[in-house]
Amino acid sequence: MADWKLKRQILQGAVCLLLIVAVLVVYVGYLTVWKGDELAHNPLNMRQAAARADIRRGSILDAQGRALAQTRSDGSRSYPFGAVMAQVTGYNGENIGGAGLEGHANRALLGLTDDMTRLGPLAQLFQTEQGNDVKTTIESDAQQAAFDGLDGRKGAVVVLDVDTGAVLAMVSSPSYDPNNIEANWDNLSKVADGPLLNRTVQGMYPPGSTIKPMIADAALTESVTTEQEEFSCSGVLDVGGGHSIRESHGEVHGQVNLRKALTESCNVTFGTLGMRLKDDKLKSTFKRFGFDQSIGGDIVMTNSHLPAFGTLGNGDQAQTAIGQSTLLVTPMHMALLAAAFAHEGTIMKPYLVQQVVTPSGLIVQDTRPEKWLTATTAAMATKIDSFMEDVVTKGTGRAAQVSGVRVTGKTGTAENAHGEDHAWFIGSAQLRNRKIAFAIIVENGGGGGTVAAPIARKIILSLQN
């Protein structure tokens, strides 16, 4: 009898232990499978912080393999290009965290993979002392030319390879030196629109006349005009309600067709087209070109601010068509707009990381070009592209001309409620072995043709050499 009671107690104890083990197994599985990503990325995860202390962080490289960020012998980070590359590399600090690729590619630079991160303490068995190198798509010469072109003025430059979506340059000004950012953190972090703001993907601006190529596409696609129709520009367009739209500097363009209207940036023509397109067709056009979408991947971009389509009157429709009203966009998205017309209507998904390479030279990530969306037909893109070529050869974008290079563009002078007008220039250039698209904005710069277009010329020349 006593033996039976003892056996029953042992059995009960064994069952309890098995149940406890089963619960633990299920809970560990839950944490690993269902909650693994969330916990791995949680900033309070001290395991990763402890692991980082024993790892020599990998380098960030440009497209030619030049170091943009590297680890010194004492374990601190060095940024050879300083402020020029700040918006690409970002920064990494014990007390301030990480930004840019230092933040976005943090695990790659530490040599951690998603699978290893989920392993928890077991990951230390597979962890090396040297992190992986991250090779970017950035062309240092183009980045430097863009940085020099802005010359300390507030603004941004984005340059893309239209065939692949690779980001060749991404400059925001004013910038900061990531080599001493922790020492200057208190001052830098107090300025809302200061050096820490990445204007290429976070800056929000009215696009001004740089939106007109898209409106020209919409007007022809939606059959609200033809290439042959002539518009009479007296310098003023009555939009009703006692309001009007005027040409810049009081210009009068006279009789112009759509091609000439884009070349001379005629507000009267495009304001008229905006009222003809009305809300529904304007809305569908912005959707076609992805202004209502996020990009995803390693490009984290602020969403565009679109007008409240469905509630606009004639005045706001006309203002939207010349890039004003409540419309706000990022320079990155305007570079994508230019890329659409340079790439037969197809926009490739922009990306910044080309490869992740282990210390032994093994490529563990190799980005392949990916289509983001089809914005328009190849025939329409070619037509608008030819209009934009006229802007550079005959119109307001002559300052972007480069001998022997086919350059297209559209200038913009965007009204700014908080000061002088912003200067814009978007476009493309056919180089020897590739085609690029770009968007340039100089805040409070005035005329895009005189201020922003010359920066495009500098960038094109840097990529020719």
Side-chain angles (χ1 to χ4, degrees):
M1 187 69 174
D3 288 344
W4 180 83
K5 288 183 178 180
L6 179 61
K7 289 179 180 179
R8 186 175 64 178
Q9 290 172 351
I10 292 173
L11 180 61
Q12 289 173 341
V15 170
C16 288
L17 286 173
L18 286 173
L19 287 174
I20 292 171
V21 170
V23 170
L24 286 173
V25 169
V26 171
Y27 185 62
V28 170
Y30 168 74
L31 292 177
T32 303
V33 178
W34 282 277
K35 301 289 286 185
D37 283 335
E38 179 182 338
L39 293 173
H41 294 87
N42 193 305
L44 299 178
N45 187 340
M46 298 307 295
R47 185 186 302 124
Q48 290 193 34
R52 283 197 291 267
D54 298 325
I55 302 171
R56 182 178 175 84
R57 199 172 179 82
S59 297
I60 300 175
L61 311 171
D62 77 353
Q64 284 74 43
R66 288 175 284 193
L68 308 182
Q70 56 194 354
T71 301
R72 299 186 181 98
S73 58
D74 65 357
S76 63
R77 291 294 265 179
S78 168
Y79 302 90
F81 285 83
V84 176
M85 294 288 179
Q87 302 301 337
V88 176
T89 62
Y91 52 81
N92 181 66
E94 290 185 15
N95 300 315
I96 60 176
L101 283 178
E102 290 278 33
H104 182 80
N106 181 54
R107 286 185 296 159
L109 291 166
L110 292 171
L112 299 171
T113 65
D114 289 343
D115 292 336
M116 288 175 62
T117 303
R118 296 190 188 98
L119 289 176
L122 291 177
Q124 296 180 29
L125 298 175
F126 306 97
Q127 180 62 56
T128 64
E129 295 181 355
Q130 175 68 48
N132 299 328
D133 290 340
V134 173
K135 186 177 182 181
T136 71
T137 57
I138 293 293
E139 301 273 355
S140 291
D141 291 343
Q143 183 86 1
Q144 186 72 58
F147 185 85
D148 294 342
L150 287 174
D151 194 26
R153 295 170 293 185
K154 285 186 176 182
V157 177
V158 176
V159 184
L160 305 173
D161 184 316
V162 303
D163 294 318
T164 65
V167 179
L168 306 181
M170 190 168 74
V171 174
S172 177
S173 178
S175 188
Y176 60 90
D177 187 350
N179 287 295
N180 55 24
I181 188 168
E182 285 199 271
N184 297 320
W185 182 256
D186 287 343
N187 291 330
L188 291 171
S189 60
K190 290 176 182 177
V191 185
D193 65 342
L196 295 181
L197 176 69
N198 186 349
R199 286 168 161 77
T200 64
V201 291
Q202 296 173 327
M204 299 291 285
Y205 307 95
S209 294
T210 58
I211 207 69
K212 289 175 180 175
M214 189 184 79
I215 300 302
D217 173 291
L220 293 173
T221 299
E222 301 290 353
S223 301
V224 301
T225 190
T226 64
E227 290 185 73
Q228 291 72 39
E229 181 183 4
E230 291 203 342
F231 299 83
S232 181
C233 173
S234 63
V236 181
L237 173 65
D238 183 0
V239 297
H243 301 289
S244 61
I245 288 176
R246 297 180 179 274
E247 296 295 341
S248 178
H249 307 298
E251 295 175 350
V252 176
H253 298 114
Q255 297 297 115
V256 292
N257 60 17
L258 187 59
R259 176 183 288 270
K260 190 174 182 182
L262 188 69
T263 302
E264 299 185 5
S265 201
C266 177
N267 285 341
V268 168
T269 298
F270 284 91
T272 300
L273 293 175
M275 291 188 290
R276 290 183 187 177
L277 287 165
K278 300 191 179 301
D279 285 25
D280 57 341
K281 292 182 174 63
L282 284 170
K283 181 179 180 178
S284 65
T285 301
F286 278 96
K287 181 178 178 64
R288 273 198 291 125
F289 284 85
F291 282 95
D292 63 339
Q293 300 180 35
S294 298
I295 297 172
D298 52 24
I299 305 295
V300 182
M301 183 175 69
T302 302
N303 291 335
S304 303
H305 184 281
L306 301 178
F309 294 119
T311 66
L312 305 184
N314 284 346
D316 279 326
Q317 291 166 356
Q319 289 283 355
T320 299
I322 63 171
Q324 297 291 163
S325 185
T326 58
L327 177 63
L328 297 172
V329 298
T330 64
M332 174 63 76
H333 212 131
M334 294 310 292
L336 294 172
L337 175 66
F341 297 119
H343 196 232
E344 298 185 336
T346 298
I347 304 177
M348 303 300 288
K349 185 177 180 178
Y351 64 97
L352 192 55
V353 175
Q354 181 60 63
Q355 293 179 334
V356 176
V357 186
T358 68
S360 63
L362 177 66
I363 298 173
V364 293
Q365 177 185 326
D366 192 8
T367 305
R368 300 300 181 192
E370 177 185 347
K371 186 178 85 170
W372 184 41
L373 53 82
T374 299
T376 189
T377 65
M380 185 61 70
T382 300
K383 189 187 302 293
I384 302 301
D385 187 62
S386 72
F387 288 6
M388 293 173 70
E389 184 179 12
D390 284 358
V391 172
V392 176
T393 58
K394 305 173 184 177
T396 56
R398 290 186 178 92
Q401 291 179 0
V402 176
S403 178
V405 178
R406 181 180 183 272
V407 181
T408 76
K410 182 66 194 80
T411 58
T413 304
E415 293 180 7
N416 170 31
H418 306 291
E420 295 295 321
D421 295 342
H422 298 319
W424 276 99
F425 188 67
I426 70 169
S428 68
Q430 178 63 66
L431 305 179
R432 295 188 187 94
N433 56 355
R434 60 183 168 181
K435 184 180 283 189
I436 64 169
F438 46 78
I440 300 159
I441 184 169
V442 180
E443 293 184 24
N444 313 122
T450 56
V451 177
I455 300 175
R457 185 175 188 277
K458 289 182 178 181
I459 294 167
I460 295 166
L461 289 170
S462 75
L463 289 169
Q464 260 197 315
N465 298 333

